[in-house]
Amino acid sequence: MYRHSQQRKEDDLQLVGSDFWGKLWRLKVLPKVKDLLWRAASNCLPTKVQLRHRHVNIDSIFPVCSLDSEIILHHLVECSFARACWVNTRLGVTIDYARTFTEKSPNVAVVTLLATRMLEQWSKAQDKSSQVFTVAFLTAADGAELWKTPAAGEVKINIDVALFYFMLTGTVTPELAEAMGVREALSWLKRKGWHRVTIETDCLIVVQALRSPLPMFSYFGSVISDCKTLLKDVNDVFILFVKRSDNGVAHTIARASS
């Protein structure tokens, strides 16, 4: 299927007289963005109208605005929410969306912020001189595979959690439990007044969230926000991502806690 898709892209480039498709694939943006544009231009996105054409029994109303049918053009351009997002990007796009978009929704700001951050992170990832290894906010200090004794005068805390059947699977996700573990460790450090501490966890999502400047509107995001506040109240405390092999003892203790 991948080879078929690639061949179809090449065929499209040959069939179109202009260099539109060539310019599209040469854009310096995330590959998934270019793929989205290609699918939109090829009328391949699974909008509600498209699904109804394929005999899926659903309504055709676009749920964001609840005003028009969900077609590609409305979804990406004509909808009041889409217009507001385009205007908020400050790319010089002037679209009058006041007729239908009267509510000041913070989601517009969040969408444009996420898009901007994603482009910035991807651009940095393409910079070979950048010291950041991945777009996931990892550094050279992350990814340890073997546990090492902390230096004299330093403290190391390894965190891991375990979920059991009686904890109602689905109510507490693993990443939420890990974030709560980090929050508890930071609260404990704040009470003790300890410094020069390294906290190690094998939950990559938590480390990414702690280092990301993006807001997260969820219970997980609330716990991460608490952790960021606590980090401001302690000195010389670093949180690192490590491999499971480095965190084996903490993992074993967590599993044995049942």
Side-chain angles (χ1 to χ4, degrees), residues 132-189:
V132 180
F133 284 114
T134 69
V135 73
F137 306 104
L138 296 185
T139 67
D142 295 297
E145 298 183 1
L146 296 175
W147 191 86
K148 293 183 179 180
T149 305
E154 297 183 358
V155 176
K156 178 179 287 190
I157 299 176
N158 285 75
I159 295 176
D160 205 355
V161 300
L163 298 180
F164 303 99
Y165 178 75
F166 61 82
M167 298 179 69
L168 301 177
T169 303
T171 303
V172 179
T173 61
E175 57 268 20
L176 174 58
E178 293 276 0
M180 295 172 69
V182 172
R183 182 177 63 180
E184 184 63 27
L186 290 171
S187 298
W188 184 74
L189 287 175

Side-chain angles (χ1 to χ4, degrees), residues 48-49 59-71 74-75 78-83 97-103:
K48 284 189 173 183
V49 171
D59 66 85
S60 62
I61 298 300
F62 187 35
V64 175
C65 65
S66 300
L67 295 175
D68 294 288
S69 297
E70 185 184 26
I71 61 175
H74 181 75
H75 196 147
E78 294 180 343
C79 174
S80 56
F81 184 84
R83 293 180 181 183
Y97 59 89
R99 293 182 297 105
T100 55
F101 192 80
T102 57
E103 180 184 0

Side-chain angles (χ1 to χ4, degrees), residues 74-241:
H74 181 75
H75 196 147
L76 299 179
V77 180
E78 294 180 343
C79 174
S80 56
F81 184 84
R83 293 180 181 183
C85 289
W86 281 113
V87 172
N88 204 45
T89 59
R90 299 178 181 177
L91 294 175
V93 181
T94 55
I95 303 176
D96 179 17
Y97 59 89
R99 293 182 297 105
T100 55
F101 192 80
T102 57
E103 180 184 0
K104 294 183 179 179
S105 172
N107 290 332
V108 172
V110 171
V111 168
T112 51
L113 176 62
L114 288 172
T116 302
R117 295 293 189 211
M118 185 181 297
L119 177 59
E120 290 176 352
Q121 293 164 8
W122 182 83
S123 298
K124 290 180 180 178
Q126 310 310 305
D127 184 3
K128 302 302 182 181
S129 63
S130 175
Q131 296 301 312
V132 180
F133 284 114
T134 69
V135 73
F137 306 104
L138 296 185
T139 67
D142 295 297
E145 298 183 1
L146 296 175
W147 191 86
K148 293 183 179 180
T149 305
E154 297 183 358
V155 176
K156 178 179 287 190
I157 299 176
N158 285 75
I159 295 176
D160 205 355
V161 300
L163 298 180
F164 303 99
Y165 178 75
F166 61 82
M167 298 179 69
L168 301 177
T169 303
T171 303
V172 179
T173 61
E175 57 268 20
L176 174 58
E178 293 276 0
M180 295 172 69
V182 172
R183 182 177 63 180
E184 184 63 27
L186 290 171
S187 298
W188 184 74
L189 287 175
K190 182 180 178 180
R191 292 194 301 269
K192 290 290 185 180
W194 286 6
H195 308 293
R196 300 181 65 189
V197 179
T198 298
I199 298 176
E200 294 184 341
T201 173
D202 56 21
C203 185
L204 177 60
I205 295 177
V206 170
V207 176
Q208 289 175 324
L210 287 171
R211 296 177 184 176
S212 172
L214 302 179
M216 289 175 286
F217 303 103
S218 63
Y219 188 31
F220 173 74
S222 177
V223 176
I224 291 297
S225 180
D226 291 343
C227 292
K228 290 181 177 180
T229 300
L230 287 167
L231 279 170
K232 295 178 181 179
D233 297 332
V234 294
N235 296 320
D236 296 326
V237 176
F238 304 94
I239 301 178
L240 300 179
F241 164 71

